[in-house]
Amino acid sequence: MNRTIRIASGALVIGVALVSLGVWRTAPPSMLSKVALPDTWSGQNLSRDGVSVALEVKPLAKDGVLREGEFADVQFRVKDSTSGQPLSGVNPGAWLDPETIAADQAQGREQSCKSRVGVFLKSSIGARPLLDLNSYFLLVMNRDASVSVVDPSVSVGGITSTMARIDLKQPPMDWITPKDNKRVFISMPTAGEVAVIDSEQFKLLESVSAGSNPVRVALQPDERLLWVGNNASTADESGVTVIDTRSLKTLKHLATGAGHHEIAFSKDSRFAFVTNRDDGTLSIIDIASLTVSKQLKTGSHPLSVAYSPLSQAVYVADGEDGTVTVVDSASLAVRRVIKAKQGLGPMGFSADGRFGIVLNTLENQASVIDAATDSLIHELDVSAEPYQVVFTKAYAYVRGLASAKVTMINLSSLGQGRTPISQGFEAGPQAPRLAGDLPLASSLAVSRDDNAVFVVNPVDNTTYFYAEGMNAPMSGYPNRGQVARAAMVIDRSLREVEPGLYSARIKLPSAGRFDVAFLLNQPNIIHCFTALVEPDPSIAQHPGVPKVEFMLDKSTAALGSPYVVRFRIVQGQQKTRRSGVKDVQVRYFRAPTSRAQEVAALDMGNGIYEAPVTLDQNGAWYLHVRAASLGANFDDKTFASVRVLPGTAN
């Protein structure tokens, strides 16, 4: 028996995407109301090729209703049909999009579903699903008081899809996100606060008081408390401020010592370890009581601290003495001092805790510590003036201030008596130092698949994407309008929350019927489930942001021939047509490099508008509509595309 999941939603984009792949249209409202569901539509369980898939959309609303604007968990349970055993690690893909009755009737339900999934996989700016459950986003920290949100999967010839800009009170310095990526905590030194961003809706939630000159931010392993380093000028204000991540309340300030502070934690979240650069000490804080248990002398100028779960010890690098002090997390005593060279600074450990990389800015080297023996095993030449290091499963990436080159250290090649392997790539044309003021936040961000990195070059204002195994970055994302300083990846993809159960949290779109497309690679299974989102009665009378429905009767145009963009503006659930809008504009450009042009649209009556455009070169032209008085801006929710070909248009 067929079953329909009832859901509720946010803004449903009704429009037409005309792309080089062909014309894909949403059925007109009149057709949607008259056409019954095809008999081929299945329920929420699928069994095919030895695999069973069950879809459940679980509302988070207290009344258990899937309602527009609310949140829900989309969950696929994937099993072996014969044994019933869960299939782990299969990494399915999924998308949610308005139902396409006309296409289902014309092509057949199965073929229509396969066609749309094929389009979604191409990440074309002209044919994107309403919700992509495989997506991730890039947050770019700007020099001014803002953060840009970029969709890395969509870029038209170097024109990046910037989804949103989040304004802050004051310029940011450092940031961190929990494992679920649902929030981002950002320090703002000049405001004396930490900004809290909702990274599901990309908006500022709150700014929390965080003491004097808050700089470094760190989350303890259980993510219950946020720790903020206060680089204050007075002794009583210099130390750390502790914030409850659930209530967003400031719990306590602890004076630990003078100077800049770096923060690390024991794996069990029992102890916090805070360096005090100017005092040459390490403060050990009991997290349960929020009191300083011990002060250890760790050199003249401790510049970094890192914890290794393998050796269950804390490592403190001292820049002036050129030493790494090893503190046992059980006894809280110094168990060894590793001698290196003067100039040690930033440090980090591989995910397994085996190898620590300590950067030496003076020597242009990376010192490698083996946590299994607490010994220095390698000193490697890296990018000039190294100042940042991040890790993937296979490599350590080192960024230098005085070089555009990023050095990659092959972790599998490290070990006593072995010859390390390193390579590198250029991330932009110039060295980061030339950009001037830089934040503490890293310009290196590891991809969600843990086999690639995003690298911000603050000089040319571009974020480069490098995939392991390539000789150079594959693409770049210009940060137009702001000045990029750091990057962070926010993962929205399906996650395996238990063996064979893949889940993603979504904000439900505007009320209506939707297809939930599912893809499995091995074996190859593509299937569209069904979902229904209920309206929210409390906002039923609100007209909402207007939508644009393009009325283009062909996807190509002849070079040099006149071309008129025709569209209608509708608003509300009843699709009321809006006439008489005076500020409707069409912006158009040719991918990848043409300069955008704008033209006023003419009101033709009955909510229909026309705008003549000059498509004077071969290629794909993208069209966007804006009506500022209605709250509709130029963005990827109101667009179409036309391909200009020499000769006669089709």
Side-chain angles (χ1 to χ4, degrees):
M1 181 178 68
N2 290 349
R3 297 171 55 204
T4 300
I5 292 182
R6 307 185 70 81
I7 312 180
S9 81
L12 170 62
V13 178
I14 297 180
V16 179
L18 299 176
V19 295
S20 58
L21 299 170
V23 181
W24 173 33
R25 297 180 182 274
T26 301
S30 59
M31 181 181 293
L32 293 176
S33 61
K34 295 177 182 178
V35 178
L37 295 180
D39 293 336
T40 55
W41 281 37
S42 76
Q44 306 309 305
N45 294 279
L46 170 71
S47 184
R48 185 186 300 170
D49 298 332
V51 174
S52 68
V53 182
L55 167 67
E56 183 178 8
V57 183
K58 302 175 68 173
L60 271 63
K62 292 182 179 179
D63 59 5
V65 176
L66 291 165
R67 183 183 299 109
E68 62 181 345
E70 301 284 354
F71 287 88
D73 288 330
V74 179
Q75 296 186 336
F76 295 95
R77 191 173 293 277
V78 186
K79 297 181 179 180
D80 181 278
S81 297
T82 303
S83 66
Q85 291 298 309
L87 296 180
S88 184
V90 296
N91 300 320
W95 302 263
L96 186 142
D97 206 49
E99 63 179 0
T100 55
I101 294 177
D104 291 341
Q105 288 188 327
Q107 304 177 41
R109 174 68 169 167
E110 185 174 352
Q111 184 57 45
S112 171
C113 182
K114 288 182 178 179
S115 297
R116 275 184 293 152
V117 169
V119 172
F120 297 158
L121 289 171
K122 294 180 182 294
S123 297
S124 168
I125 194 172
R128 300 175 62 202
L130 184 62
L131 291 176
D132 186 345
L133 277 65
N134 323 288
S135 63
Y136 67 99
F137 300 98
L138 192 66
L139 298 190
V140 178
M141 179 184 286
N142 298 319
R143 184 175 62 185
D144 65 4
S146 71
V147 172
S148 297
V149 184
V150 173
D151 184 349
S153 67
V154 177
S155 180
V156 182
I159 300 175
T160 305
S161 176
T162 301
M163 296 180 56
R165 170 189 161 106
I166 306 169
D167 292 322
L168 308 174
K169 283 187 178 181
Q170 293 292 330
M173 176 58 70
D174 190 27
W175 57 5
I176 195 167
T177 182
K179 296 182 186 69
D180 62 12
N181 289 170
K182 292 179 181 178
R183 289 183 175 181
V184 179
F185 301 96
I186 307 175
S187 64
M188 301 179 293
T190 54
E193 295 176 337
V194 167
V196 184
I197 287 178
D198 179 341
S199 47
E200 292 185 309
Q201 303 181 63
F202 296 126
K203 67 178 184 180
L204 178 66
L205 281 179
E206 195 169 339
S207 293
V208 183
S209 178
S212 176
N213 197 23
V215 178
R216 179 64 81 191
V217 288
L219 279 168
Q220 63 188 51
D222 64 11
E223 300 183 340
R224 186 173 61 87
L225 300 178
L226 175 75
W227 295 70
V228 186
N230 298 115
N231 291 10
S233 57
T234 60
D236 60 334
E237 293 182 321
S238 181
V240 288
T241 296
V242 185
I243 297 171
D244 188 298
T245 57
R246 297 170 187 169
S247 66
L248 299 182
K249 301 297 183 184
T250 302
L251 299 181
K252 193 172 185 179
H253 172 76
L254 296 164
T256 60
H260 174 72
H261 309 284
E262 291 292 327
I263 308 167
F265 306 95
S266 59
K267 185 179 180 180
D268 58 5
S269 296
R270 183 180 177 187
F271 295 107
F273 303 90
V274 181
T275 61
N276 309 295
R277 184 184 61 190
D278 294 350
D279 282 355
T281 58
L282 176 73
S283 299
I284 302 176
I285 299 171
D286 180 89
I287 292 178
S289 62
L290 290 182
T291 57
V292 178
S293 298
K294 202 170 187 179
Q295 293 277 103
L296 291 176
K297 188 68 176 176
T298 57
S300 304
H301 283 80
L303 295 180
S304 62
V305 59
Y307 177 81
S308 167
L310 178 67
S311 64
Q312 298 183 35
V314 176
Y315 297 76
V316 184
D318 189 281
E320 186 169 311
D321 294 356
T323 59
V324 177
T325 301
V326 186
V327 179
D328 188 275
S329 63
S331 65
L332 304 183
V334 175
R335 73 185 190 196
R336 189 163 189 178
V337 176
I338 304 170
K339 183 62 179 177
K341 298 176 182 177
Q342 190 178 45
L344 297 182
M347 174 172 49
F349 270 89
S350 55
D352 61 3
R354 175 69 187 275
F355 297 112
I357 306 290
V358 191
L359 306 183
N360 192 314
T361 304
L362 294 180
E363 300 291 336
N364 297 331
Q365 287 184 333
S367 300
V368 182
I369 293 173
D370 188 341
T373 58
D374 286 341
S375 60
L376 176 66
I377 58 173
H378 304 296
E379 289 182 313
L380 311 176
D381 292 334
V382 294
S383 301
E385 298 184 24
Y387 75 113
Q388 290 175 341
V389 58
V390 299
F391 295 83
T392 63
K393 290 179 181 178
Y395 291 91
Y397 289 79
V398 177
R399 187 80 161 118
L401 270 174
S403 172
K405 185 177 181 179
V406 176
T407 301
M408 302 168 59
I409 301 172
N410 188 318
L411 296 176
S412 65
S413 69
L414 301 179
Q416 187 68 46
R418 305 186 67 183
T419 301
I421 299 172
S422 65
Q423 60 194 81
F425 61 90
E426 300 289 330
Q430 294 176 300
R433 174 182 290 284
L434 300 178
D437 54 332
L438 297 174
L440 275 184
S442 180
S443 64
L444 299 160
V446 176
S447 73
R448 63 174 182 176
D449 298 321
D450 207 23
N451 60 2
V453 291
F454 292 91
V455 186
V456 175
N457 189 307
V459 180
D460 68 357
N461 201 29
T462 298
T463 301
Y464 294 91
F465 176 71
Y466 175 82
E468 290 171 4
M470 305 299 291
N471 293 324
M474 296 175 62
S475 56
Y477 303 95
N479 191 28
R480 304 184 187 280
Q482 280 79 41
V483 181
R485 284 294 183 259
M488 173 185 289
V489 172
I490 298 296
D491 189 3
R492 291 282 187 81
S493 59
L494 286 167
R495 299 188 183 192
E496 189 172 9
V497 295
E498 63 181 63
L501 182 62
Y502 302 87
S503 180
R505 180 160 295 176
I506 64 170
K507 183 178 183 181
L508 294 165
S510 299
R513 300 182 70 91
F514 299 90
D515 288 336
V516 183
F518 174 86
L519 168 67
L520 194 65
N521 285 324
Q522 293 294 333
N524 184 250
I525 296 175
I526 297 177
H527 181 75
C528 284
F529 295 97
T530 307
L532 179 64
V533 175
E534 298 287 357
D536 184 349
S538 66
I539 61 174
Q541 303 304 315
H542 193 281
V545 177
K547 313 296 188 299
V548 172
E549 296 179 346
F550 286 95
M551 304 168 66
L552 308 179
D553 57 1
K554 51 191 176 182
S555 62
T556 57
L559 180 63
S561 298
Y563 193 89
V564 176
V565 180
R566 197 164 188 261
F567 56 92
R568 67 170 63 93
I569 297 178
V570 299
Q571 196 167 16
Q573 293 185 354
Q574 303 303 316
K575 305 298 186 292
T576 303
R577 298 187 180 189
R578 293 296 305 265
S579 296
V581 183
K582 304 297 184 183
D583 60 346
V584 182
Q585 293 178 300
V586 172
R587 181 176 67 180
Y588 61 102
F589 63 90
R590 184 180 68 90
T593 57
S594 125
R595 180 179 178 183
Q597 303 177 61
E598 296 180 13
V599 61
L602 303 176
D603 184 359
M604 308 304 292
N606 198 27
I608 296 175
Y609 297 81
E610 291 184 354
V613 296
T614 304
L615 310 180
D616 55 3
Q617 297 183 63
N618 294 339
W621 289 78
Y622 287 83
L623 316 169
H624 294 255
V625 174
R626 175 174 68 181
S629 62
L630 297 180
N633 296 315
F634 291 136
D635 57 27
D636 62 3
K637 296 179 181 178
T638 56
F639 68 88
S641 69
V642 176
R643 181 166 292 277
V644 175
L645 304 173
T648 305
N650 295 321

